[in-house]
Amino acid sequence: MKIISSISQKIDSRVAIEECLMVLEKEFTEPSIILCYFTEEHNEKIILSLLKNQFPKSKIHGCTSCQGIMTDDGFASNRALAVWVLIDTKNGRYGTSISQYQSVDTVESLTIKLLESAISDSGREGELPALVLLHATSGHEESIISTIDDFFGTPVPLIGGTAADNHNKGNWCIFTQDNVVNSGISISVFYPSCKVSYSFHSGYAPFDISGIATKTNKRTLYEIDNRPIVEVYKEWTQMSDLINKDQNLLEHMAQYPLGRIAGYMDTVPYFKLAHPTKITHDGGIECFADINVGEEIHMMYGEKDQIISRPQRVINSAIGYQQISFAPIGGINIFCAGSMMHIKSSMLDVCDSVNAAMHEAPFICPFTFGEQGRFTGGENAHGNLMVSTVLFHY
């Protein structure tokens, strides 16, 4: 089994994908699955067409990334395109599926159809996959994950990222070898001929301050403890000047997300985060994750140094007790776009630390508007400002 990654900053999409695929010229086996991440400047139809023409038997899964991509070759900001190729010549199998959201289907029924289709595409019906990769557009990630867990009857390890663009303007898309959509769900199932380890962390610490959500509407929070959320958030962050209707909270508030307890390790809580993105016209704060009435909302804080070192800590957590005998083949990392923008000038340092933790094995890392993963306690979840990691190893 072999994993290869490659990245390009060529302006033309055709030239960029061809440059990325040059690393495969000496490979004589068609890839089992190809992951492709790219910024909104690139043409997804050209990318997919070239991949399908060159690798007609390979599974393909693609998703847009915010303002850059990272691989073991480095961090490429702005116009960027990267591929991650897995070649499994043993008994590994892989399958993909995709659909636009359909008015005739609920999110739950559509997710079930896609899981059945991806498993059928892999040829491993009746078996639990070692990993599910999810890329969806924003809005229904919690329902999708709950349905995935119910479908398998046990939490199958999950990694994923919500499709992103450069400035939260809706210029995102997802694709597989079968279609390109800008509002929908795409799923891949992995049955690799190796071991898979995972980790999912926020890396943020709670302040000693919290309150109860008393008025919400899906991803918009209106009140905490019956007080207007904007008033509460200004008080908690002490950053009144940056919290107004004209500011892009996505870029400015990555340091101060809202946390909900996701579980405990012994008596120590770990959190899933909600990233404030904008103030709504009716006085709410919209996030990239659902918030429900009755949830306890914690004020969270992330120092830049903590965010920079976080991906390395997440990888080390995934390796865990296998440190001495760990023989990595490669990995997938999902990194929040808001966190990346907050520490963009230090992303080369992040890349160096990830390479060290990965033992220089190939990896790919898009920057997304929501991250999905499996906590150490076994729960699959969707959150913001998170890092999700999957490692393939012997």
Side-chain angles (χ1 to χ4, degrees):
M1 185 167 164
K2 187 174 186 179
I3 290 173
I4 304 169
S5 68
S6 182
I7 195 164
S8 174
Q9 286 193 279
K10 299 295 186 183
I11 295 174
D12 182 86
S13 298
R14 184 178 300 275
V15 175
I17 193 69
E18 288 175 346
E19 180 177 60
C20 283
L21 295 180
M22 286 176 63
V23 298
L24 297 176
E25 287 182 348
K26 296 180 181 179
E27 300 296 330
F28 299 103
T29 303
E30 191 156 324
S32 304
I33 187 167
I34 302 169
L35 305 185
C36 180
Y37 298 105
F38 53 98
T39 53
E40 65 177 53
E41 297 91 348
H42 280 292
N43 187 313
E44 63 274 10
K45 293 182 179 178
I46 289 176
I47 295 168
L48 182 56
S49 176
L50 287 169
L51 288 173
K52 288 173 65 174
N53 287 341
Q54 187 156 344
F55 305 108
K57 296 180 181 179
S58 298
K59 312 302 180 184
I60 301 169
H61 200 166
C63 180
T64 47
S65 176
C66 175
Q67 298 185 20
I69 306 162
M70 184 167 63
T71 72
D72 46 297
D73 286 332
F75 169 69
S77 62
N78 302 317
R79 181 183 290 267
L81 185 153
V83 297
W84 180 95
V85 171
L86 186 153
I87 301 170
D88 195 342
T89 57
K90 295 184 178 179
N91 60 346
R93 295 291 183 271
Y94 306 83
T96 66
S97 61
I98 190 168
S99 177
Q100 194 92 7
Y101 286 121
Q102 306 285 346
S103 58
V104 296
D105 284 316
T106 64
V107 171
E108 292 78 9
S109 63
L110 181 59
T111 302
I112 290 171
K113 288 180 180 178
L114 291 173
L115 286 166
E116 292 172 342
S117 178
I119 293 169
S120 175
D121 189 42
S122 74
R124 298 287 282 267
E125 293 94 333
E127 298 180 48
L128 283 176
L131 176 70
V132 174
L133 170 64
L134 169 67
H135 286 305
T137 55
S138 182
H140 302 288
E141 295 92 332
E142 290 90 349
S143 295
I144 297 168
I145 292 171
S146 177
T147 304
I148 291 171
D149 286 347
D150 290 344
F151 179 86
F152 291 116
T154 185
V156 169
L158 171 77
I159 190 169
T162 303
D165 62 359
N166 289 344
H167 302 290
N168 195 21
K169 301 293 186 182
N171 298 320
W172 47 64
C173 72
I174 52 179
F175 65 64
T176 70
Q177 68 272 12
D178 295 322
N179 201 6
V180 178
V181 304
N182 56 20
S183 177
I185 307 169
S186 60
I187 289 173
S188 289
V189 290
F190 288 62
Y191 299 83
S193 60
C194 69
K195 298 176 183 177
V196 174
S197 296
Y198 57 86
S199 189
F200 188 45
H201 281 245
S202 76
Y204 286 68
F207 277 128
D208 189 22
I209 185 169
S210 65
I212 302 299
T214 48
K215 184 179 180 182
T216 70
N217 182 16
K218 296 181 180 178
R219 298 193 166 189
T220 302
L221 178 59
Y222 289 100
E223 293 180 2
I224 289 180
D225 294 335
N226 298 306
R227 294 176 58 205
I229 178 57
V230 175
E231 177 184 311
V232 172
Y233 195 60
K234 285 181 177 180
E235 180 183 296
W236 284 6
T237 61
Q238 299 182 358
M239 296 184 69
S240 296
D241 293 343
L242 285 178
I243 304 170
N244 59 69
K245 291 185 178 180
D246 298 323
Q247 276 288 2
N248 182 354
L249 299 186
L250 175 68
E251 298 188 24
H252 292 282
M253 292 296 107
Q255 197 169 4
Y256 297 103
L258 304 173
R260 283 82 39 81
I261 293 176
Y264 292 85
M265 289 299 293
D266 295 323
T267 59
V268 179
Y270 50 88
F271 295 83
K272 57 182 178 181
L273 306 184
H275 185 183
T277 61
K278 66 180 179 181
I279 297 175
T280 62
H281 65 88
D282 53 355
I285 289 183
E286 185 177 306
C287 301
F288 274 135
D290 289 352
I291 297 177
N292 300 312
V293 169
E295 287 189 300
E296 185 174 10
I297 307 299
H298 297 258
M299 183 75 255
M300 308 292 290
Y301 178 70
E303 292 278 4
K304 281 193 173 183
D305 287 347
Q306 290 177 308
I307 300 172
I308 290 168
S309 63
R310 178 178 59 168
Q312 184 175 18
R313 297 198 308 273
V314 175
I315 293 168
N316 288 338
S317 174
I319 297 170
Y321 66 90
Q322 304 165 105
Q323 285 276 7
I324 297 175
S325 60
F326 181 63
I329 304 166
I332 304 168
N333 297 304
I334 307 289
F335 195 102
C336 173
S339 296
M340 178 275 292
M341 288 186 277
H342 185 51
I343 59 166
K344 199 168 188 179
S345 62
S346 301
M347 285 305 297
L348 291 177
D349 295 331
V350 173
C351 188
D352 288 343
S353 68
V354 171
N355 272 325
M358 289 287 298
H359 299 220
E360 309 299 326
F363 72 88
I364 197 164
C365 178
F367 304 108
T368 57
F369 283 168
E371 296 72 53
Q372 296 89 50
R374 190 176 187 184
F375 285 112
T376 306
E379 310 93 341
N380 286 330
H382 164 75
N384 306 147
L385 298 163
M386 310 286 283
V387 173
S388 190
T389 290
V390 163
L391 304 177
F392 300 85
H393 58 96
Y394 296 117

